[in-house]
Amino acid sequence: SYNPPGKHKSPSYDDSFRNAQRVADHYSARSNQTLEEREASPIIHLKKLNNWIKSVLIQLYAQKGDAVLDFACGKGGDLIKWEKAQIGYYVGVDIAEGSIRDCKTRYNGDAEQQRRKKFSFPARLICADCYEARLDKYLEDDGPYDICSCQFALHYSWSTEARARRALANISALLRPGGIFVGTMPDANVIIKKLREADGLSFGNNVYWICFDDDFSEKKFRSSSPFGIRYQFHLEDAVDCPEWIVPFPVFKSLAEEYDLELVFVKNSHEFVREYLKKPVYTELMRRLGALGDGNQDQTTLSQEEWDVAYLYLAYVLRKRGQPGSH
Ligand code: SAM
């Protein structure tokens, strides 16, 4: 039982700038939650699972001393994960001014934390549109970077081909040869499959709904130019903004044009099944409070939350070339 609003119509001001602004406004307006509010969230276990997935990706690929580029870093929810990986330098970029402000507060700590320095790596936090700005020029003096992370955010670049290309061009230009690009984003195959099974253009459950624009065409999804396929995504206590479908095979070949080669891609369910088998990651899941005892592949997620987890995938790409060569 879900409750989507009336059909989501394409607004007349539907250009990429306005779209990016709507996304930025949505995230900027989201205020920091207290620990109590966070624990009371209807999707608290999903949040814990997503943190676990991001932590596993970071632990798998970050090396001590790495220079890290966090595209769409949000409020800096991953800063502690990078600290645990003992990185050497961090650059976080996000389009939402409010999020960058919160990220700065989190990094600098409050008066109390400032006295006992919280993060051991220097950081630079920038408010910019990662999918529009020439960050390759702007950030090159700090680079090259060993690892770029883009968590739950790359799909915001697929509103136009130019933006999707700018995202990949920025990442590729800033990574060193052999550098790693890790991320998470919606799994278009799962979303389109659910859409096909749905009655109309929307579907969901108690904690989320997705509603496609009236002009959705499966032909466009299957075409060689599947950009701008928009839906409205609502996730209780987390997201309510336009998002874009990213057909993974097209993403993979576009990334190759920018010298980024696929290492792996896994739906979140598969990711959990695979990495939860490893004792070190089982222990991490326990520490995060998301280790269950039987259902949903041994996590504490409700069935509804587990259904949302299925909407996402994790990917790893590697920049061509040998480390040390430019
Ligand atoms: N990566 C963070 C995390 O995992 O906690 C935040 C994820 S949040 C779901 C998506 C983020 O993408 C938001 O902070 C939003 O402001 C950012 N974002 C969306 N479009 C962007 C753009 N064009 N440039 C930079 N950041 C963008």
Side-chain angles (χ1 to χ4, degrees), residues 23 27 54 72 74 94-96 128-131 151-153 156 163:
V23 172
Y27 283 104
K54 293 190 287 180
D94 200 284
I95 194 172
D129 185 336
C130 294
Y131 315 141
Q151 303 297 344
F152 298 102
Y156 294 116
R163 286 173 67 78

Side-chain angles (χ1 to χ4, degrees), residues 19-20 23-28 50-51 54 70-78 81 93-97 99-100 106 126-132 135 149-157 163 184 238-239 241 243-244 312:
N19 270 326
V23 172
D25 289 347
H26 163 71
Y27 283 104
S28 253
N50 286 339
N51 272 322
K54 293 190 287 180
D70 193 351
F71 262 31
C73 62
K75 296 167 185 298
D78 294 341
K81 302 176 187 72
V93 190
D94 200 284
I95 194 172
E97 236 182 294
S99 301
I100 285 295
R106 185 169 286 178
I126 298 156
C127 184
D129 185 336
C130 294
Y131 315 141
E132 194 74 48
L135 293 177
S149 168
C150 186
Q151 303 297 344
F152 298 102
L154 197 70
H155 50 301
Y156 294 116
S157 74
R163 286 173 67 78
T184 40
V239 187
C241 69
E243 302 201 340
W244 289 266
Y312 291 90

Side-chain angles (χ1 to χ4, degrees), residues 50-76:
N50 286 339
N51 272 322
W52 178 82
I53 291 173
K54 293 190 287 180
S55 298
V56 173
L57 283 173
I58 290 171
Q59 288 186 21
L60 283 171
Y61 290 98
Q63 312 267 348
K64 193 174 173 177
D66 271 358
V68 174
L69 187 59
D70 193 351
F71 262 31
C73 62
K75 296 167 185 298

